Structure formats: structure tokens, C-alpha cells
């Protein structure tokens, strides 16, 4: 971890003039990109959805949140730092409190592994305040599910810190869901469903379940085109609220469409049927953005560059006679292109041809995160028939229309990191 991500915090000495005891845990958590979209809250208090959803958990090599959770009697209040800056009044935030208090209620004793001495009792944890520091390795609030990774990392770090244990399967995901809905899906790797729930009055059945782990369909790849790394104009929370209140299409989608698509896409994942997986993914992305347009006033997350990517992928699939790539857009203009390992170089070659960058950025690794894949894509010769067909309907975009490209795949859920990755540096005075 670079030193720029470190947070230096001063803490007072203990009553006996010694250094205070500080318990810490550091965890990384992945982002996830939905194939069946979550849009609309059924219950704002419990932060539950009007429909189920399904996503792919992405590899953490480049896209992850890293969070350190620390607890000590020396801390006089709960505090939170995000991407290097302290969030004032975080201790009273409903979402923050739901995660911290929810996990702490499940805490167990901390026992020395060698002496078996009880270092912290269950009751002791209740008297300690927590310091939380987190940072993302990718653009925040631009439609790459940064809040999902962040709240998943928060819950996972607290679970590790407190030695928390679930009282029913999926309880940790129910807690993460109260921080950010899609965060519940980032607590598992591979392919993850968030079940709508609602049969229980406290919505404890609104939890995430793993459909298949990352090893099940290891050939899945994702090429992410960052069209904008700026904060989106309409937040997901605000957008959902307006859509639920005004879009009849959204209500129809939740009642009549999603459950059928969930069954179809789960079957496709289990059968490794990319044609069905890709078609459902694209159709659901399109319908999600249609509900945004059906919202009054309408919400525009995709832009002209986004739409050109949609057109390019459809033309590419038409030429190949099969679905080789599938686009999906969350609440933002950035495209996630799912494909298979055998086609990922061809897909990247298309992206580099139609969404160019400065040559120094391409060769210097500033445009694409994987230099080896860039070399292979540049050496790849696109079929002349494909190029000729694309020239009739697709044009090369301006340099800068796509800011960054990430090449990645499916990956595991949260990972516990060693002490060297801790975000805090505590200074005792």
C-alpha cells in the first residue's frame, strides 16, 4: 500500500502512562456489477429492494476497497475516514450505525491463541469506540459500485475485528445491505443473488446467496470502459426514490419480469451458457435504463459514448453470429463488457480501435490496467469483414471519450490482509 493511503491519528496514553491497547483488522472487498439490476427500495428503513438481483463479483487486483477497523478504550468517539478525508458526524449516520452496531451485537470473545487467555470479553467490545479508515482503488460514485465494495469491506473488517458469528446464514449480508443494498452481494465471490425477501417482518430474509463461486465459470472476463470518473448527477438513492414514485414501468418490471429473468440467468450460469447469460444481461441493462427514462422527471445515466458502445457490441455480435460480448451499465455511463477468455483480446482490440487514447498513455499503462493484454490486443488482427461492417455503422470516437479500461474477471469475496496493509498509523502522545 502506498503511503498516501495511510491515515495518521493521534491517541492519548493510557491511565498508567503506557501505550493504549488498540485492536485492528484490515480487509479488502470487491466491487460487483449486476446483471439483473436492483433499482427501487421496498422499505427504506431496512434498505430492502422491490425485486431480487444478481451480480458478478469482480477480481480485486485493481478494483477493491481496503478498510481497517480499529477498536480501543482510548477512542472517545466513533470516527470514519474515506479516501484520506474524515467524514464528520459519521457516528450518527444511519448506515454507518447499522453496520457497526449490527456486527458488534454478534461479537465473541477475543482469545489469545497461545495462552488461551480472554483478551477481550463480549461485554468489553460494547465499551470501545471504533475508528474506521477506507479507500477505493477505483473511481468513487461513478457507477462502478464503489459503495458496494466500501460497505462490504466495512462489515467484513468489523466481523474480523469483533470475531463476530452469524445467528443465521446470511446475517452478515443483511447487515451490509443496510449500509448499501448491493454491498450484500460483495460479501461473496463469483455469481451472487440478492433475494428480495419480505416474508419476515424485519426483512431478515433479504440476504445474499452465492449462486456459483468464481472457480465455477473461470472463463468469464470483464472489460470495463470508464466513460466518466466524475460523481454522477443523480445519486442512486435519489434516483430510486423518484423512480418508485413515478415509473409505472419500474413497478411492472419488479412484479412481472425480474423473477423470470432471475431463474433464466441462474440456469445459464450453472450451465455456463454465455449466449443466454449475455442476452439476459443486456436486456436487463436496457430495461433498467428504460425505467430511468420512464421516471418523471427522467434520469439520464448513459451518455452518447455509452450508447456508441451498445451499438458496437450489437454489431460485433451480429457479425460473429453469436453473443461474444454483453454490455451492462449501472447507474452511470461506464460500460462493463462481459465476455469469455477466448474472446477477451478481440473485444479489447475493438475497444482500443474505436475508443483510442494518447499513444504514451497506452504504452505507459495509464489507459489499460494490463500491459500484457494491451500488447496482445495491439498485435491482434481484427477480421477484415468485421472491420468493413463496423465502418458502415460505427465511428472512431475522440481521444478521451473513454478515460480508462480495466480488464478483469470474476473473483473471491472479502480477503483478510496482514498488518502491513493497515490504513491507520497510530501516534501515541
Amino acid at each position: 500500500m502506498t503511503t498516501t493511503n495511510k491515515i495518521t491519528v493521534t491517541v492519548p496514553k493510557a491511565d498508567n502512562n503506557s501505550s493504549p491497547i488498540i485492536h485492528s483488522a484490515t480487509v479488502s472487498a470487491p466491487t460487483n456489477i449486476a446483471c439483473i439490476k436492483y433499482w427501487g427500495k421496498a422499505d427504506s428503513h431496512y434498505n430492502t429492494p422491490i425485486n431480487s438481483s444478481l451480480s458478478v463479483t469482480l477480481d480485486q487486483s485493481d478494483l477493491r476497497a481496503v478498510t481497517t477497523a480499529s477498536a480501543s478504550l482510548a477512542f472517545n468517539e466513533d470516527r470514519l475516514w474515506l479516501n484520506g478525508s474524515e467524514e464528520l458526524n459519521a457516528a450518527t449516520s444511519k448506515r454507518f450505525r447499522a453496520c457497526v452496531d449490527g456486527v458488534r451485537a454478534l461479537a465473541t470473545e477475543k482469545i489469545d491463541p497461545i495462552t488461551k487467555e480472554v483478551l477481550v470479553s463480549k461485554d468489553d467490545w460494547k465499551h470501545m469506540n471504533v475508528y474506521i479508515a477506507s479507500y477505493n482503488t477505483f473511481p468513487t460514485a461513478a457507477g462502478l459500485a464503489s459503495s458496494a465494495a466500501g460497505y462490504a469491506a466495512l462489515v467484513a473488517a468489523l466481523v474480523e475485528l469483533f470475531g463476530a458469528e452469524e445467528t443465521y446464514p446470511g446475517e452478515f449480508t443483511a447487515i451490509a445491505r443496510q449500509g448499501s443494498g448491493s454491498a450484500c452481494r460483495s460479501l461473496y465471490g463469483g455469481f451472487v443473488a440478492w433475494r428480495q425477501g419480505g416474508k419476515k417482518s424485519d426483512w431478515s430474509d433479504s440476504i445474499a446467496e452465492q449462486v456459483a463461486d468464481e472457480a465455477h465459470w473461470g472463463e468469464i472476463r470483464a472489460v470495463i470502459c470508464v466513460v466518466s470518473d466524475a460523481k454522477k448527477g443523480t445519486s442512486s438513492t435519489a434516483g430510486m426514490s423518484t423512480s418508485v414514485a413515478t415509473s409505472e414501468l419500474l413497478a411492472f418490471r419488479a412484479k412481472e419480469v425480474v423473477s423470470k429473468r432471475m431463474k433464466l440467468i441462474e440456469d445459464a450460469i450453472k450451465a455456463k451458457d454465455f449466449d443466454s447469460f449475455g442476452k439476459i444481461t443486456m436486456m436487463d441493462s436496457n430495461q433498467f435504463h428504460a425505467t430511468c427514462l420512464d421516471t418523471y422527471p427522467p434520469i439520464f445515466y448513459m451518455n452518447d459514448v455509452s450508447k456508441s458502445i451498445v451499438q458496437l457490441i450489437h454489431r460485433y455480435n451480429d457479425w460473429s453470429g453469436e453473443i461474444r460480448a454483453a454490455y451492462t451499465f449501472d447507474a452511470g455511463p461506464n460500460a462493463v463488457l462481459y465476455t469469455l477468455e477466448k474472446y477477451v483480446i478481440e473485444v479489447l482490440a475493438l475497444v482500443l480501435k474505436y475508443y483510442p487514447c494518447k499513444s504514451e498513455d497506452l504504452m505507459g499503462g495509464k489507459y489499460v490496467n494490463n500491459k500484457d493484454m494491451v500488447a496482445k490486443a495491439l498485435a491482434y488482427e481484427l477480421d477484415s469483414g468485421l472491420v468493413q461492417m463496423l465502418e458502415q455503422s460505427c465511428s472512431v470516437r475522440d481521444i478521451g471519450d473513454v478515460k480508462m479500461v480495466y480488464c478483469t474477471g470474476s473473483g473471491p469475496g472479502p480477503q483478510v490482509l496482514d498488518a502491513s496493509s493497515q490504513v491507520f498509523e497510530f501516534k501515541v502522545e
Side-chain angles (χ1 to χ4, degrees):
M1 183 177 66
T2 62
T3 55
T4 55
N5 292 319
K6 290 284 189 180
I7 301 293
T8 301
V9 179
T10 301
V11 294
K13 291 181 179 180
D15 292 340
N16 61 1
N17 208 35
S18 63
S19 295
I21 297 174
I22 300 174
H23 307 277
S24 296
T26 301
V27 169
S28 68
T31 185
N32 70 80
I33 301 296
C35 302
I36 304 296
K37 303 298 187 184
Y38 151 54
W39 194 251
K41 300 181 190 298
D43 188 305
S44 59
H45 176 74
Y46 290 105
N47 205 31
T48 52
I50 62 173
N51 61 262
S52 297
S53 57
L54 184 142
S55 62
V56 179
T57 299
L58 299 182
D59 184 78
Q60 296 184 45
S61 298
D62 293 284
L63 302 167
R64 64 177 182 166
V66 176
T67 298
T68 294
S70 299
S72 176
L73 293 172
F75 301 160
N76 57 13
E77 63 178 336
D78 292 341
R79 298 171 69 184
L80 170 67
W81 290 259
L82 296 178
N83 295 312
S85 300
E86 184 169 7
E87 297 287 306
L88 300 179
N89 302 316
T92 58
S93 162
K94 175 186 172 184
R95 296 183 178 194
F96 180 81
R97 287 261 61 89
C99 293
V100 173
D101 297 341
V103 177
R104 181 156 41 197
L106 303 175
T108 62
E109 294 179 336
K110 184 175 183 178
I111 300 175
D112 187 297
I114 298 176
T115 65
K116 306 303 180 183
E117 176 189 1
V118 176
L119 302 177
V120 185
S121 71
K122 292 181 183 180
D123 191 60
D124 287 341
W125 289 122
K126 299 176 184 178
H127 303 292
M128 297 184 192
N129 286 306
V130 295
Y131 283 4
I132 308 292
S134 182
Y135 67 90
N136 294 329
T137 63
F138 57 97
T140 299
L144 288 179
S146 59
S147 63
Y151 277 101
L154 170 61
V155 169
L158 290 168
V159 167
E160 185 68 17
L161 173 66
F162 294 136
E165 294 181 354
E166 294 181 324
T167 61
Y168 63 88
E171 186 170 10
F172 295 149
T173 73
I175 294 171
R177 174 251 297 159
Q178 295 177 65
S180 173
S182 54
C184 68
R185 299 191 306 247
S186 278
L187 285 180
Y188 299 122
F191 303 84
V192 185
W194 175 12
R195 308 300 182 191
Q196 177 187 0
K199 293 182 179 179
K200 295 185 177 181
S201 60
D202 64 353
W203 288 89
S204 58
D205 54 346
S206 183
I207 59 174
E209 294 178 344
Q210 188 179 61
V211 175
D213 65 23
E214 63 274 15
H216 166 73
W217 201 359
E219 299 84 2
I220 284 285
R221 296 291 180 269
V223 177
I224 303 173
C225 300
V226 179
V227 175
S228 172
D229 55 6
K231 187 174 182 179
K232 54 198 175 192
T234 303
S235 72
S236 295
T237 300
M240 286 185 201
S241 178
T242 308
S243 292
V244 169
T246 64
S247 174
E248 294 180 6
L249 176 58
L250 180 65
F252 175 82
R253 163 183 161 75
K255 182 179 180 181
E256 303 291 342
V257 178
V258 172
S259 61
K260 299 173 186 176
R261 285 184 178 166
M262 285 290 291
K263 173 66 166 60
L264 290 172
I265 202 165
E266 288 185 50
D267 288 347
I269 290 166
K270 292 172 183 176
K272 303 180 186 179
D273 176 0
F274 189 82
D275 196 79
S276 296
F277 170 85
K279 183 178 180 181
I280 296 166
T281 295
M282 291 187 284
M283 289 179 68
D284 206 73
S285 177
N286 294 341
Q287 190 177 72
F288 158 55
H289 287 277
T291 64
C292 292
L293 290 176
D294 189 52
T295 299
Y296 187 84
I299 305 169
F300 304 98
Y301 286 122
M302 295 172 66
N303 60 22
D304 287 343
V305 179
S306 309
K307 295 170 187 175
S308 73
I309 295 172
V310 169
Q311 185 179 40
L312 177 68
I313 295 304
H314 277 295
R315 296 295 180 269
Y316 170 54
N317 288 336
D318 289 345
W319 166 81
S320 66
E322 62 180 340
I323 295 179
R324 292 188 179 181
Y327 58 79
T328 188
F329 296 81
D330 275 354
N334 302 321
V336 176
L337 308 178
Y338 287 120
T339 187
L340 295 172
E341 183 177 13
K342 59 184 176 181
Y343 299 128
V344 68
I345 297 302
E346 187 172 59
V347 171
L348 180 58
L350 279 173
V351 170
L352 295 182
K353 177 176 175 60
Y354 285 92
Y355 302 91
C357 69
K358 296 178 181 178
S359 59
E360 60 266 29
D361 289 342
L362 181 61
M363 303 313 296
K366 295 181 179 179
Y367 187 55
V368 182
N369 66 316
N370 190 313
K371 291 183 179 180
D372 290 339
M373 291 189 66
V374 169
K376 292 177 181 178
L378 291 176
Y380 186 87
E381 185 175 351
L382 291 167
D383 184 275
S384 59
L386 171 61
V387 173
Q388 185 177 6
M389 189 192 80
L390 292 175
E391 286 177 348
Q392 297 174 10
S393 55
C394 301
S395 58
V396 175
R397 303 290 303 195
D398 294 336
I399 290 175
D401 278 359
V402 170
K403 310 293 188 295
M404 177 83 186
V405 178
Y406 291 98
C407 296
T408 186
S410 179
Q415 304 291 298
V416 178
L417 306 180
D418 60 30
S420 66
S421 298
Q422 179 169 303
V423 187
F424 284 123
E425 284 186 344
F426 292 111
K427 183 179 179 182
V428 179
E429 289 186 351

